[in-house]
Amino acid sequence: MSRVAVVGAGTMGRGIAHVFAQHGWDTALIDVSRPALDAALGAIRANLDRQVNKGALTGAVRDAALARLVVDTRLDPAGAAELVIEAATEDPETKFSIFRELDRIAPPGALLASNTSAISITAIAAQTRRAPRVIGMHFMNPVPLMPLVEVVRGLETAAETVQRTAEIAQALGKTPVEVRDSPGFVSNRVLMPMINEAVFCVMEGVATPEAVDAVMRLGMNHPLGPLALADLIGLDVCLAILDVLHRDLGDDKYRPAPLLRTMVAAGRLGRKSGRGFYVYRD
């Protein structure tokens, strides 16, 4: 039986755990916060129930997935995992600390992956003694629905690690796309400047959020406007990624819009806080 440990029970971590458990992996979801773990379990149950109600899953598959899922506030389950995926907060020092501990706890042959949106896989791998077995496995939100996994190859990542990671992604029903380690990879190096420019349009009074999103949906055939998408991602996450792009690439075209920084400071983080560019009551 394949075993995975997922570190971080936020939106991405719970989605990753959901998909692995659904596809037959014994899955441990780890977070220092017991309330976060309780909330994650509730969300995973609700999402699996939704899949059953839509006819996408049988009740037996749902029940088996939930039976494979355990939670823990310690990293101990990583000691029995063949794959560990870190999905903690988008802060370099937090990730570095986690990887130093995972390197100590996980079996020598285990792969260590990060779901980071922008932070260097090479820098993360340097915190360990197994850089050839460290890789980026960047899932998209919402994880159960989005087909892409960006497979990010660090400077020291072995070809065998890339191949195995791609095989795992495919077994989960995902499409792996290999990219080289660079700030923001491909997804966020392209997406975040668009979101940032949309924020500048609002800040400068060019258009309302509704108008900006309507232009991109109706004129560019985007399924979701950039500001609604930013609210879904989390404005704090968008700001963190733009800060990485701006700092590591050294180009002012990635400078975060002051309005974005102000909204994050005010706690308007998007869907997860109930208010961002839009107000959410669900």
Side-chain angles (χ1 to χ4, degrees), residues 7 24 38 44 53 82 106 116-117 123 142 146-147 150 168-169 205 220 225 231 246 255-256 271:
V7 182
D38 291 342
I44 291 169
N53 292 337
E82 66 182 76
T116 179
S117 301
M146 299 295 281
E150 249 181 334
I168 291 169
M220 313 305 164
D231 276 358
H246 189 210
R255 177 178 67 94
R271 284 184 179 270

Side-chain angles (χ1 to χ4, degrees), residues 94-137:
T94 299
K95 293 185 184 295
F96 293 168
S97 175
I98 290 170
F99 270 81
R100 287 191 288 268
E101 281 298 295
L102 290 175
D103 188 40
R104 181 179 63 81
I105 294 170
L111 301 186
L112 303 183
S114 177
N115 183 60
T116 179
S117 301
I119 296 168
S120 168
I121 296 300
T122 302
I124 289 172
Q127 310 304 312
T128 77
R129 294 162 296 176
R130 63 175 89 192
R133 303 185 73 80
V134 177
I135 195 163
M137 201 173 186

Side-chain angles (χ1 to χ4, degrees), residues 41-214:
L41 276 177
I44 291 169
R45 285 194 189 97
N47 287 332
L48 286 167
D49 285 343
R50 191 175 298 115
Q51 288 175 284
V52 171
N53 292 337
K54 289 182 176 179
L57 290 182
T58 65
V61 171
R62 173 198 59 201
D63 295 344
L66 289 171
R68 293 186 198 104
L69 182 62
V70 299
V71 298
D72 207 313
T73 55
R74 304 161 300 166
L75 288 174
D76 294 11
E82 66 182 76
L83 170 65
V84 184
I85 303 176
E86 170 274 319
T89 186
E90 197 69 2
D91 170 70
E93 288 307 319
T94 299
K95 293 185 184 295
F96 293 168
S97 175
I98 290 170
F99 270 81
R100 287 191 288 268
E101 281 298 295
L102 290 175
D103 188 40
R104 181 179 63 81
I105 294 170
L111 301 186
L112 303 183
S114 177
N115 183 60
T116 179
S117 301
I119 296 168
S120 168
I121 296 300
T122 302
I124 289 172
Q127 310 304 312
T128 77
R129 294 162 296 176
R130 63 175 89 192
R133 303 185 73 80
V134 177
I135 195 163
M137 201 173 186
H138 184 207
F139 291 82
M140 304 294 133
N141 184 32
V143 180
L145 299 180
M146 299 295 281
L148 175 67
V149 175
E150 249 181 334
V151 176
V152 186
R153 185 175 196 155
L155 184 63
E156 304 290 347
T157 305
E160 295 82 0
T161 300
V162 175
Q163 181 179 344
R164 178 59 181 144
T165 303
E167 289 169 353
I168 291 169
Q170 288 170 335
L172 298 175
K174 304 299 184 186
T175 301
V177 177
E178 182 183 341
V179 302
R180 196 164 53 82
D181 188 23
S182 181
F185 318 131
V186 171
S187 56
N188 283 314
R189 188 166 176 175
V190 174
L191 174 63
M192 287 300 152
M194 181 185 73
I195 286 175
N196 199 40
E197 202 60 39
V199 179
F200 270 114
C201 284
V202 173
M203 186 183 81
E204 294 169 4
V206 176
T208 64
E210 292 83 358
V212 171
D213 281 355

Side-chain angles (χ1 to χ4, degrees), residues 22-37:
Q22 182 182 324
H23 285 82
W25 287 62
D26 281 348
T27 304
L29 181 59
I30 300 166
D31 199 287
V32 293
S33 167
R34 175 58 65 176
L37 290 170

